[in-house]
Amino acid sequence: MSKSLQKQSERKKAYSSVSKHVERIDGKEKVDGTVEYGDDLVFPDVKHVKLCRATIPHGKLVDVDPSAALELPGVRRVITRKDIYELQDEIGYNPYYGPAIKDQPVLALDKVHYIGDPVAAVIADERDIAEEAIDLIDVTYDEMDFCEDVDDALADDAPIIHEEFEAADTFPDLEQVEGGRDTNEAFQFNLRYGDVDAALEEAAHVFENTYRSPPVQHMPFEPFVATARANQDGTMEIWTPNQSPHFVRNEIASMFNMPQSKVRVRVPQVGGSYGMKLYAKTEPIIALCAYLTDETVKLKMDIEESFSTITRHGTKIVLKTGVADDGTILGRKCDVYYDTGAYAEIGPRITKKSGYTAAGPYEIENVSIDSHCVYTNKPPAGAFRGFGVPQLVTAYEAQMETIAVELGLDPTEYRKRLGYKEGSTHPTSVPVKSVGLVECIEAVEEAMEWDKPLEQPDDPALKRGRAIACGYKACITPSSSGALVIVSGDGSVTVHSSSVEIGQGVKTTLAQLVCEGFGIDIDYVDVAQPDTATSPFDTITAGSRTTFHMGNAVMRAVDDAKDQMRGIAARTWGVAANEITVEDGVVSHADSGNEMSLGDAVKAEFGKAGGTLLGRGYFTTEGGHHDPETGQADKVTVFWFFGATGAVVDVDTETGKVYVRELQNAADVGQAIDPDRVRGQILGGAAHALGQSLHEEMVFDYGQQTNQQLLDYKVPSFRDMPEKVGNHIVEVDHPDGPYGAKGVGETGSFAVSPAIGNAILNATGADVKAIPYTPERVLDAVQEAEDQ
């Protein structure tokens, strides 16, 4: 064992609560069914909302006639653009929202932009009445040409989807988003490092390939559901399973031109999200319905409506790579096109923050990246596990495999030779630190017994292959997290934060950090649900940022509480505060032998009747400056994280069906706060990506999705998982992370698709350049390979 690994092992042994598995503090209520999800919340006299949606992909909105719907018994009101225009005049209401660009109206105003665009909202006594009423609304359109994909949208004669649009000015790292007029390109990020054209001229071999991925759906168990109430005192309350409650609060306050303190957002248990419930989705329309009716209103969507609300970006990625005879990459040119759908949503941030990783985690002296966020007439695309990175990894890892095969190089050794090491330089000119890329590849190699020959199936129609792929991602930077820890008179602790439990176990992670800091048992810690009235600000729960950012905030809050306890003890015992220690749940002074429990320290300050001691912690990461012309920067992220996946597949050369026999996944997590839960996160990401690799895609015909239900849109089940799956933790400590931790929620999703695709290539010689790897695509590629 190396000295560094030995020191790390010794340090772990010294921990009492981290780097160990503990039972989830919210596990029992999930198992026994007592946990309350958004649809479980009971409100007296609640009214129900359903949305009338556009039936054409692009067109002017001529008229919306709700008269027939209003005659239906039980219908309270139908809200249309007419109500919005009146509210604009009355209170200065702003009907547009969006995290990066304010381009999405709460209901269609001048025109509709995709099939499914909300046109009117029905409010009724019962949900089924509202559903019946939407079919009675008479909507008249003047149809226009539409853009089916990014190629259509960027054509010279393309119809313009948004005549003009305005930047949201929400994120300091998106200062380059300026809005626009008469263009379907919502945003473009450019990066230039070295001289790519000269490198391609010099190269002995040039590879140019185009890779495509379709829009897909997040598919959590829980579809969208939200409840809102406008109170007589001018306040607004919203209950929503959202990953960014403070963003929602701020967005709603801005739309209604009211103080943020007047908007309260509470988060019930979230039934899965994967980015679907990030930023404002259902909240703007439900808040509008509540405001206009003075009723408590609830919007509950079905699965089909989720497809019409948000998706993952489809992509077109063109890579042109020049290499020397020994495989050294001399230059790589990347043209990346993100299909952001009808509204930009968070597409510009994905275009920039993920786009600059398009060249891959490899030492390349000359890089050119043009990353485009493009409007089309499809449902909007937003954050999805991996934030645009898995699409990029699928492209650059497929081309890396092609290069290695063409040049007769061992693909895994090739990746390890060129892969980032500690101190490597990213194309933004920023050094890459805390790098576990090669270690991830080696962990997968070891698990797959890479040195042993691969045994072929007995069936001659089945061809077996294997491959390894890797990827990396930047943590969202800048961002901020705040936390409160409240110590009660009995020594128990309550944590208040806006980090949202979406299945990843964040409640337990934060509790473990509190236990480690105070030296107490986890039974004495509770983590409250996020509530913007009581929980400090947090940017979002997404982007694998929570353990790092909120973890640091919680640790600082614990330290603040411990400092106060030292002061209390010092005053009580008449000693210096710096002589006091707070360890193992005890406040003590070694020289005098005095000691008290945490609860006694609180009582010493507030009296025997008890009180609460409040510790506050705030943690923020600063973003650097990007040159708008070249993309060169002084800082791009607080940390990078790396992952690798190995796959063994059998390909039926007669049908094209792919059977995944083995998946081995490795993730560089910095430090695993709970190793078992971290492995679960790695597995979850890989399972999620498996569906997108084999069969998930949204199929469109004339702007209409043709597989908008679970009968046709196939998501993976347990039977689709390989018999052999391994999930491996690589720990390369980050110096600023809580006990060295980085993040893990997305890492398992990076390299699954290219590992499977490259294994297909290894088995059959078939190079499939679009996902999912359906039998039709694979069979066509197999036959093409055989013909060649």
Side-chain angles (χ1 to χ4, degrees):
M1 180 183 291
S2 68
K3 289 184 178 179
S4 61
L5 288 176
Q6 186 174 358
K7 287 181 180 178
Q8 192 177 83
S9 177
E10 291 172 354
R11 188 173 69 248
K12 286 184 181 183
K13 290 178 182 178
Y15 297 150
S16 60
S17 298
V18 304
S19 295
K20 295 176 174 61
H21 175 61
V22 300
E23 290 187 7
R24 291 181 62 136
I25 63 174
D26 57 348
K28 183 179 182 299
E29 61 180 357
K30 289 184 175 180
V31 172
D32 65 22
T34 57
V35 64
E36 287 191 319
Y37 294 88
D39 195 35
D40 297 326
L41 303 178
V42 177
F43 299 89
D45 300 321
V46 66
K47 309 306 176 189
H48 297 269
V49 178
K50 289 293 289 185
L51 301 179
C52 174
R53 298 178 179 274
T55 56
I56 65 169
H58 193 204
K60 293 181 180 178
L61 188 59
V62 177
D63 186 49
V64 183
D65 182 3
S67 55
L70 288 168
E71 293 178 0
L72 188 68
V75 172
R76 294 300 185 103
R77 185 163 182 172
V78 178
I79 295 174
T80 68
R81 61 181 178 176
K82 177 176 177 292
D83 300 285
I84 293 174
Y85 293 143
E86 291 175 354
L87 199 59
Q88 283 181 294
D89 293 337
E90 290 175 11
I91 65 170
Y93 176 73
N94 178 10
Y96 290 95
Y97 64 96
I101 292 175
K102 300 286 188 182
D103 58 0
Q104 186 163 2
V106 66
L107 291 173
L109 299 176
D110 298 327
K111 64 177 185 175
V112 296
H113 298 88
Y114 70 99
I115 293 176
D117 210 355
V119 173
V122 174
I123 304 166
D125 292 334
E126 302 294 340
R127 188 167 181 259
D128 57 348
I129 296 174
E131 194 159 2
E132 182 181 353
I134 63 174
D135 293 330
L136 301 177
I137 299 173
D138 186 13
V139 185
T140 306
Y141 307 98
D142 183 2
E143 292 196 51
M144 304 168 65
D145 291 339
F146 68 97
C147 300
E148 193 167 37
D149 54 32
V150 295
D151 294 326
D152 284 350
L154 296 177
D156 292 338
D157 59 349
I160 300 301
I161 297 171
H162 293 279
E163 284 73 22
E164 60 180 317
F165 48 91
E166 177 186 351
D169 196 28
T170 304
F171 303 106
D173 55 318
L174 285 184
E175 71 279 355
Q176 293 159 288
V177 178
E178 298 176 348
R181 172 181 286 275
D182 295 331
T183 176
N184 287 330
E185 188 165 45
F187 176 65
Q188 179 176 343
F189 173 74
N190 304 313
L191 192 155
R192 300 291 182 267
Y193 182 67
D195 189 339
V196 169
D197 291 336
L200 293 174
E201 285 288 332
E202 178 188 342
H205 310 273
V206 176
F207 297 82
E208 185 169 6
N209 307 101
T210 299
Y211 303 92
R212 295 181 184 269
S213 64
V216 296
Q217 234 295 307
H218 303 69
M219 297 308 302
F221 282 136
E222 176 194 45
F224 288 104
V225 58
T227 303
R229 178 168 61 214
N231 299 310
Q232 294 298 317
D233 62 1
T235 60
M236 175 84 70
E237 294 178 273
I238 299 174
W239 294 261
T240 176
N242 191 286
Q243 295 172 244
S244 48
H246 280 273
F247 179 90
V248 170
R249 180 199 66 172
N250 298 352
E251 190 83 281
I252 298 302
S254 174
M255 295 177 75
F256 284 89
N257 196 24
M258 61 196 300
Q260 293 175 5
S261 60
K262 297 291 186 180
V263 181
R264 183 177 185 180
V265 178
R266 281 177 272 194
V267 182
Q269 175 60 50
V270 181
S273 178
Y274 316 117
M276 185 175 89
K277 300 162 187 170
L278 186 62
Y279 305 118
K281 297 292 188 297
T282 57
E283 297 83 10
I285 184 61
I286 200 71
L288 178 65
C289 292
Y291 187 91
L292 290 176
T293 62
D294 290 327
E295 301 274 11
T296 302
V297 294
K298 178 179 181 179
L299 173 61
K300 177 185 176 183
M301 295 187 184
D302 52 31
I303 289 291
E304 287 79 4
E305 289 181 286
S306 295
F307 286 97
S308 296
T309 303
I310 198 68
T311 69
R312 183 178 87 164
H313 290 81
T315 59
K316 173 187 174 183
I317 300 168
V318 183
L319 300 181
K320 188 173 184 180
T321 304
V323 301
D325 284 326
D326 67 352
T328 300
I329 300 178
L330 303 179
R332 174 167 278 171
K333 180 177 174 60
C334 314
D335 288 303
V336 180
Y337 301 89
Y338 286 103
D339 183 343
T340 203
Y343 303 111
E345 235 278 339
I346 199 58
R349 204 175 200 197
I350 290 175
T351 300
K352 178 180 178 181
K353 304 296 282 188
S354 297
Y356 60 50
T357 69
Y362 300 107
E363 293 277 11
I364 306 175
E365 293 184 358
N366 303 281
V367 172
S368 170
I369 298 174
D370 291 325
S371 187
H372 310 261
C373 180
V374 184
Y375 287 120
T376 64
N377 293 112
K378 291 206 286 287
F384 191 110
R385 194 175 204 159
F387 209 65
V389 163
Q391 300 98 302
L392 299 173
V393 180
T394 299
Y396 63 64
E397 284 300 272
Q399 192 178 69
M400 287 295 288
E401 195 80 7
T402 298
I403 294 170
V405 170
E406 289 288 332
L407 299 185
L409 303 172
D410 179 279
T412 57
E413 292 302 318
Y414 184 46
R415 288 178 169 87
K416 288 191 289 184
R417 173 162 68 92
L418 299 185
Y420 282 158
K421 318 295 190 301
E422 190 69 25
S424 292
T425 302
H426 185 264
T428 55
S429 296
V430 175
V432 184
K433 299 178 180 179
S434 184
V435 181
L437 177 66
V438 173
E439 291 89 336
C440 286
I441 297 173
E442 290 175 342
V444 171
E445 283 183 303
E446 181 179 350
M448 297 182 76
E449 299 181 313
W450 198 253
D451 293 334
K452 294 184 179 180
L454 188 64
E455 184 177 343
Q456 288 295 319
D458 295 331
D459 186 343
L462 294 179
K463 302 297 181 185
R464 181 167 294 169
R466 64 181 178 179
I468 292 175
C470 58
Y472 79 129
K473 183 180 180 293
C475 180
I476 293 173
T477 308
S479 66
S480 303
S481 293
L484 302 175
V485 297
I486 300 176
V487 186
S488 298
D490 63 352
S492 62
V493 179
T494 303
V495 181
H496 286 271
S497 86
S498 291
S499 289
V500 180
E501 177 61 63
I502 51 178
Q504 80 282 43
V506 66
K507 279 190 169 185
T508 310
T509 296
L510 298 183
Q512 285 178 266
L513 295 176
V514 169
C515 292
E516 190 68 41
F518 283 120
I520 59 177
D521 189 81
I522 200 165
D523 291 339
Y524 279 78
V525 181
D526 182 54
V527 181
Q529 285 292 108
D531 179 343
T532 58
T534 58
S535 304
F537 176 84
D538 183 44
T539 301
I540 52 174
T541 303
S544 303
R545 63 172 293 282
T546 298
T547 297
F548 189 92
H549 289 78
M550 189 57 74
N552 269 311
V554 166
M555 289 173 64
R556 290 184 177 187
V558 169
D559 287 343
D560 181 42
K562 289 166 69 173
D563 283 344
Q564 294 179 57
M565 290 178 180
R566 291 187 187 96
I568 294 168
R571 292 192 297 274
T572 302
W573 298 329
V575 298
N578 61 7
E579 297 174 359
I580 306 293
T581 61
V582 184
E583 294 177 349
D584 299 325
V586 176
V587 184
S588 61
H589 182 250
D591 290 346
S592 66
N594 289 325
E595 64 178 39
M596 65 175 75
S597 68
L598 304 186
D600 288 339
V602 175
K603 292 174 183 176
E605 181 72 1
F606 297 102
K608 290 185 178 180
T612 53
L613 188 149
L614 177 65
R616 294 173 292 180
Y618 189 73
F619 183 80
T620 185
T621 52
E622 300 295 334
H625 171 72
H626 272 96
D627 184 283
E629 301 295 328
T630 67
Q632 295 302 294
D634 50 18
K635 183 177 182 179
V636 294
T637 184
V638 67
F639 67 82
W640 304 93
F641 47 108
F642 303 84
T645 295
V648 176
V649 306
D650 287 345
V651 182
D652 189 326
T653 56
E654 294 179 351
T655 67
K657 184 170 177 58
V658 177
Y659 302 90
V660 181
R661 303 303 189 191
E662 179 180 357
L663 279 180
Q664 297 290 344
N665 312 290
D668 170 18
V669 304
Q671 172 71 242
I673 301 299
D674 185 317
D676 286 4
R677 204 162 59 249
V678 165
R679 291 187 189 94
Q681 282 284 286
I682 298 169
L683 175 60
H688 209 186
L690 184 66
Q692 297 143 29
S693 305
L694 297 179
H695 35 68
E696 287 189 55
E697 63 178 322
M698 294 170 63
V699 180
F700 291 87
D701 183 21
Y702 198 79
Q704 173 69 59
Q705 186 187 348
T706 60
N707 61 339
Q708 200 169 348
Q709 52 185 321
L710 290 179
L711 289 174
D712 302 308
Y713 185 91
K714 302 298 184 182
V715 296
S717 69
F718 285 114
R719 289 184 295 179
D720 293 301
M721 291 298 293
E723 293 181 3
K724 190 174 183 181
V725 179
N727 305 290
H728 311 283
I729 296 171
V730 171
E731 295 179 310
V732 178
D733 280 7
H734 191 286
D736 299 322
Y739 303 99
K742 292 190 281 194
V744 67
E746 301 162 288
T747 322
S749 69
F750 292 165
V752 173
S753 291
I756 293 172
N758 293 343
I760 294 170
L761 175 67
N762 179 251
T764 66
D767 189 2
V768 190
K769 294 186 175 64
I771 58 170
Y773 304 117
T774 60
E776 295 83 3
R777 285 196 181 102
V778 172
L779 188 58
D780 286 345
V782 168
Q783 292 172 345
E784 182 181 346
E786 290 175 351
D787 292 342
Q788 292 176 351

